[in-house]
Amino acid sequence: MMNCMFASKAVHVASVPYGVLLYIEVALICLALIFVMLFQIRRDHLSKFEEVIFTTALRMTALYVLSDALWFAADKSLLPRTYWVLAAPKYVNFFSGVLMCSMWALFFESRRVHAPASKRLIILFTVVPIVAEAVLLLVNSQTGLVFFFDSTLSYVRGPFFLVQYCICYCLIGPEWLSALLRVFQDKYYAERETYLSIATFPILPMACGALDVLFPSLSCMGPGVVISACVIYSTALQELVSRDPLTGLNNRRQILRDLESALRVHEQDGMIWLLMIDIDHFKSINDTYGHLEGDRALIETATVLKRAVNTTGARNVLARTGGDEFLVLMPLATRWNAEQLKENILRAIECYNESGKSEYRIGLSVGLSNNGTTTSIPEMLSAADERMYSVKEAHHRFTH
């Protein structure tokens, strides 16, 4: 009798179509990939806000994939084919799909501006779509406007079925379009890799979603999102090698790579300029207001510098090289360009001080050097550093 039982189970598994088993295997692989990313993310150095949003987006993606797999298994009679076994995963799938898209949109926004999203954006990206989806699904339970099951428990799409996809695309679409436009703008050249990763993320999920709409028997949007999540996660890890986690700027390693590449091309033509920038009296800010306020001063300074550098429209590179020091690389520039950028930076920080956003003033010392007489990176850095400290000493004499 026991042999008969095992034989019947083997026959049942063998009778399952290959496509069904393949989809379940793909879903299990996707869930495994999400688990690995969730485990690894806490060991990396994303900002706290990005970590929370990224992990939430991954959890919602896992719920989306799992609920879709459960419905798929029930629809193919691998689970008991009752109304609630079919309906419950579908409701969870629709609701988690919107939550998933809202979390990814928030994550893209935080990466785009290198800062936590404002409360207004958090409400716009979470509360509004969640409430809209909840109302839609509650109405659907009585009317079948989005989907329903007929007398044979076959899944049928309702007249408002596409509203679900419209909500998701409206969440991701603006972030995608904004990132795509910035990819082709020179003033965002230093952030191009970040914008490119955001711009490419939705392509596969949107294509898979379109296939799901055109071919009801397919269910590939979940795997599409997971693959894109792996790509965006890989990009984030690569950026950690070249990014300063506090300010979101390039780090010393990255800007020196860029300088090295530029020097290979231009050698001693005097067209490569460095601006070494240091915050005046930064230690006193830390000592008087605490290290958290010191971190805020660094972030605010980075924001001011980024805006000033971006206004030139050239392919300049800005980095935080350590402590309270920043470095700007200006390829294909003249002395006039370098001096003009220096003046723009000093005016920008003065405007920030006059805004009254901080209890203290932020002063900057700036030193310039170029490759007119050398292609040695250490010599260029040393020359800029010496001139910067000459300016800093003059500031100290003036204030004392």
Side-chain angles (χ1 to χ4, degrees):
M1 184 175 179
M2 186 67 69
N3 291 336
C4 293
M5 185 183 301
F6 283 126
S8 64
K9 289 183 178 179
V11 170
H12 178 68
V13 172
S15 64
V16 176
Y18 175 75
V20 176
L21 290 177
L22 178 62
Y23 177 78
I24 293 175
E25 288 174 358
V26 169
L28 291 174
I29 292 172
C30 289
L31 291 172
L33 288 172
I34 292 173
F35 175 78
V36 170
M37 285 188 282
L38 285 171
F39 176 77
Q40 186 67 28
I41 191 68
R42 299 185 180 279
R43 304 171 63 180
D44 299 323
H45 302 287
L46 294 177
S47 71
K48 187 63 179 176
F49 182 83
E50 284 187 347
E51 179 185 319
V52 170
I53 297 302
F54 188 76
T55 54
T56 305
L58 285 178
R59 291 188 181 106
M60 291 302 103
T61 304
L63 186 59
Y64 182 86
V65 172
L66 179 61
S67 59
D68 195 52
L70 289 174
W71 172 80
F72 197 79
D75 188 57
K76 303 305 180 182
S77 301
L78 296 180
L79 295 176
R81 202 170 187 275
T82 64
Y83 174 79
W84 282 112
V85 173
L86 288 165
K90 208 63 181 173
Y91 276 101
V92 172
N93 182 256
F94 272 64
F95 193 71
S96 61
V98 170
L99 277 172
M100 172 182 70
C101 291
S102 67
M103 290 299 104
W104 283 121
L106 268 180
F107 179 71
F108 296 151
E109 176 66 18
S110 67
R111 288 185 63 73
R112 188 171 64 83
V113 301
H114 294 294
S118 64
K119 290 183 179 179
R120 186 177 66 178
L121 280 177
I122 292 174
I123 292 173
L124 180 64
F125 283 136
T126 57
V127 176
V128 173
I130 288 171
V131 170
E133 182 68 11
V135 170
L136 185 64
L137 292 179
L138 283 173
V139 172
N140 180 76
S141 64
Q142 303 298 320
T143 62
L145 287 174
V146 181
F147 69 90
F148 61 92
F149 295 91
D150 62 17
S151 57
T152 64
L153 293 181
S154 296
Y155 172 72
V156 181
R157 294 172 175 176
F160 281 24
F161 170 77
L162 290 179
V163 172
Q164 168 80 11
Y165 285 85
C166 290
I167 293 174
C168 292
Y169 290 167
C170 285
L171 285 167
I172 298 294
E175 292 297 321
W176 171 77
L177 182 60
S178 175
L180 184 64
L181 292 175
R182 293 188 177 196
V183 166
F184 301 102
Q185 296 180 33
D186 282 346
K187 67 179 180 178
Y188 298 111
Y189 181 79
E191 307 292 331
R192 185 166 292 178
E193 287 186 7
T194 297
Y195 296 133
L196 187 60
S197 67
I198 295 173
T200 55
F201 178 94
I203 294 176
L204 184 58
M206 290 173 70
C208 291
L211 289 174
D212 287 352
V213 172
L214 294 174
F215 304 100
S217 60
L218 285 179
S219 190
C220 57
M221 186 172 180
V225 174
V226 174
I227 293 172
S228 292
C230 289
V231 173
I232 202 87
Y233 181 65
S234 175
T235 303
L237 289 181
Q238 291 175 10
E239 287 186 3
L240 289 176
V241 180
S242 60
R243 293 279 176 186
D244 170 48
L246 179 65
T247 62
L249 300 178
N250 294 296
N251 60 18
R252 180 182 179 86
R253 179 178 180 180
Q254 182 59 42
I255 198 167
L256 292 186
R257 283 177 178 172
D258 294 337
L259 176 56
E260 184 179 22
S261 298
L263 287 171
R264 287 198 198 102
V265 177
H266 298 288
E267 297 184 350
Q268 295 184 10
D269 61 4
M271 298 294 286
I272 299 175
W273 284 83
L274 293 180
L275 279 73
M276 185 80 74
I277 304 165
D278 190 86
I279 300 177
D280 296 336
H281 308 294
F282 181 71
K283 186 177 182 299
S284 67
I285 296 175
N286 271 332
D287 293 343
T288 305
Y289 300 96
H291 289 283
L292 288 178
E293 190 62 30
D295 286 348
R296 194 177 82 86
L298 289 170
I299 294 171
E300 294 291 344
T301 302
T303 302
V304 171
L305 291 175
K306 189 186 300 183
R307 288 173 182 166
V309 170
N310 284 343
T311 56
T312 62
R315 295 184 174 183
N316 302 329
V317 182
L318 171 64
R320 180 187 173 210
T321 53
D324 59 338
E325 290 188 353
F326 300 84
L327 187 66
V328 179
L329 166 62
M330 299 183 71
L332 299 176
T334 63
R335 173 176 287 277
W336 184 88
N337 296 140
E339 293 286 356
Q340 189 67 35
L341 178 55
K342 176 182 175 180
E343 293 302 318
N344 289 346
I345 289 171
L346 295 177
R347 278 197 300 268
I349 201 66
E350 190 58 34
C351 288
Y352 172 81
N353 289 327
E354 291 175 358
S355 69
K357 292 181 180 179
S358 300
E359 299 178 30
Y360 47 82
R361 293 179 63 82
I362 297 177
L364 298 178
S365 297
V366 184
L368 280 65
S369 71
N370 75 336
N371 66 330
T373 59
T374 180
T375 58
S376 166
I377 291 177
E379 288 180 9
M380 288 185 68
L381 292 173
S382 178
D385 195 55
E386 288 178 7
R387 290 170 185 138
M388 181 268 292
Y389 272 103
S390 296
V391 174
K392 184 178 283 289
E393 288 177 5
H395 289 173
H396 279 294
R397 288 195 298 269
F398 180 79
T399 55
H400 290 80

